[in-house]
Amino acid sequence: MTSSGEAKVVCVSGANGYIASWIIKFLLLRGYTVKGTVRDPNDHKKVEHLYKLEGAKERLQLIKADLLQEGSFDSAVEGCEGVFHTASPCVDNSKLKDPQSEVIDPAVNGTLNVLKSCAKSSSVRRVILTSSTAAVHFNRRIKTSETIVDETWFSDPDFCRETKLWYNLSKSLAEKAAWKFAEENNIDLITIHPTTAIGPLLQPTINESGETFPNYHRGWVNVKDIANAHIQAFEISSANGRYCVVESVEHYSEIIKILRESFPTLQLPERCADDKPPKPKHQFSKERAKSLGIEFIPLNVCLKETVESLKEKKFLNF
Ligand code: NAP
């Protein structure tokens, strides 16, 4: 592993999360000193895995910060060269009761709070914001099997509101607010737009599964590629703008097929949720992600790693 981060101090918000945990693991391996923010540093269950990372004992400090409290991130970002802002509610649209308070306020006001702390600091040189493909391609543009979505695409907030895509709306509004604030305050901002993260878990958590699989295509990418894209975007001085991070787009039926081949005894949904023809499969451009040096772990390997990780953590038993 390189030691590109030696003597450098960076901040990662939402340190205990799935993606942030991998960013921190890689930062520590590269020699960085990391100030991670969490809502409750004393919540042993949520932070224990971070203290077990190589280098954590010497170079990881966890600091309390909440997205909804202005000034909450001041002390965490002070003294840091880089800030990786990953904290944001990552939730299923159908489970939200009050989207404004549950996702939109923490995403938008939280991002602005972090950026305000960065603007006040004398040390921050670049901010990497974890956005999402949710802020990229949810609009009225027609997608065909020929379409390659790239970084010039933006989700349409009105479309997201009308279709009740509240998480997508939160990511879209947060990104928009971030670019405006960064421009007005001369902050060097880069936004990373991963699709659905899969791959090994460092933290103890699990997703739900059902009896049927959904009838649509989805983008997939390994969490390790997402983490590396964040760090490369910080380290490569010429990096700029937005970066989509998507390995491939596949229908759930294809995911089930790959899983069945690799794990014949794993219990998987047998039926598709409906028998309508799915929308055409579009793709995402990999060009800009590749310019960060991301080579993309293939989907079948990502899936294998995910299942093995869930089995090891005893979430799956087969
Ligand atoms: P995660 O594991 O649920 O992590 C989310 C983090 O945000 C947690 O640390 C959480 O803290 C923190 N957070 C939420 N509300 C907060 C608040 N009010 N104040 C302080 N912290 C708060 O999700 P993840 O998958 O790693 O997602 C991280 C980022 O990646 C998010 O910005 C998400 O939108 C983006 N993203 C995720 C995916 C994906 O497939 N997972 C894809 C694209 C983009 P608590 O543990 O205390 O709740």
Side-chain angles (χ1 to χ4, degrees), residues 76-94:
V77 308
E78 188 50 59
C80 294
E81 258 187 65
V83 173
F84 298 86
H85 175 41
T86 82
S88 201
C90 204
V91 284
D92 182 342
N93 285 317
S94 64

Side-chain angles (χ1 to χ4, degrees), residues 34-289:
V34 180
K35 291 165 90 176
T37 74
V38 286
R39 285 198 259 198
D40 180 6
N42 297 318
D43 187 339
H44 192 65
K45 242 180 121 182
K46 279 197 173 180
V47 300
E48 192 187 5
H49 67 283
L50 294 172
Y51 285 123
K52 288 187 185 152
L53 295 173
E54 193 180 324
K57 228 160 87 200
E58 303 81 26
R59 286 177 284 112
L60 175 68
Q61 184 193 354
L62 292 182
I63 298 165
K64 186 181 170 73
D66 195 299
L67 290 173
L68 295 168
Q69 281 169 21
E70 197 165 342
S72 195
F73 291 84
D74 285 359
S75 71
V77 308
E78 188 50 59
C80 294
E81 258 187 65
V83 173
F84 298 86
H85 175 41
T86 82
S88 201
C90 204
V91 284
D92 182 342
N93 285 317
S94 64
K95 293 197 177 128
L96 293 169
K97 291 193 180 79
D98 179 10
Q100 188 68 36
S101 67
E102 288 174 75
V103 281
I104 296 167
D105 289 345
V108 179
N109 301 344
T111 298
L112 287 174
N113 281 339
V114 171
L115 288 175
K116 279 180 198 163
S117 299
C118 295
K120 274 190 252 172
S121 112
S122 52
S123 57
V124 176
R125 155 175 97 64
R126 182 171 276 181
V127 179
I128 311 293
L129 170 69
T130 316
S131 185
S132 167
T133 50
V136 175
H137 68 113
F138 292 85
N139 55 33
R140 284 179 224 282
R141 285 175 73 171
I142 309 285
K143 289 191 273 266
T144 69
S145 52
E146 310 289 304
T147 306
I148 299 179
V149 174
D150 65 17
E151 288 80 359
T152 62
W153 284 56
F154 285 86
S155 293
D156 172 359
D158 289 335
F159 175 81
C160 293
R161 272 186 209 99
E162 280 164 35
T163 49
K164 297 189 170 34
L165 294 172
W166 306 117
Y167 168 74
N168 310 53
L169 178 64
S170 79
K171 297 305 284 182
S172 208
L173 295 179
E175 188 202 350
K176 219 173 161 180
W179 282 117
K180 185 169 183 285
F181 187 90
E183 201 179 321
E184 287 167 358
N185 293 275
N186 218 5
I187 289 176
D188 181 4
L189 176 73
I190 291 180
T191 58
I192 305 289
H193 299 262
T195 185
T196 316
I198 53 174
L201 288 86
L202 292 172
Q203 90 287 19
T205 187
I206 185 155
N207 288 332
E208 288 169 32
S209 63
E211 291 184 349
T212 58
F213 55 84
N215 187 11
Y216 50 81
H217 297 96
R218 195 178 192 117
W220 308 93
V221 67
N222 197 295
V223 66
K224 293 182 274 185
D225 285 335
I226 300 177
N228 276 322
H230 281 73
I231 299 173
Q232 293 290 92
F234 173 64
E235 288 188 349
I236 298 173
S237 57
S238 59
N240 63 82
R242 310 168 90 212
Y243 291 90
C244 288
V245 185
V246 182
E247 197 278 328
S248 55
V249 177
E250 282 301 346
H251 193 274
Y252 273 92
S253 59
E254 183 60 25
I255 303 299
I256 300 283
K257 200 175 130 210
I258 299 172
L259 287 173
R260 211 163 262 143
E261 277 163 15
S262 305
F263 303 98
T265 57
L266 173 64
Q267 271 205 325
L268 292 161
E270 298 282 341
R271 290 177 296 113
C272 187
D274 62 64
D275 53 14
K276 289 182 206 144
K279 284 187 188 155
K281 178 170 94 171
H282 60 275
Q283 286 301 342
F284 278 85
S285 168
K286 291 183 176 176
E287 292 313 306
R288 281 184 50 83

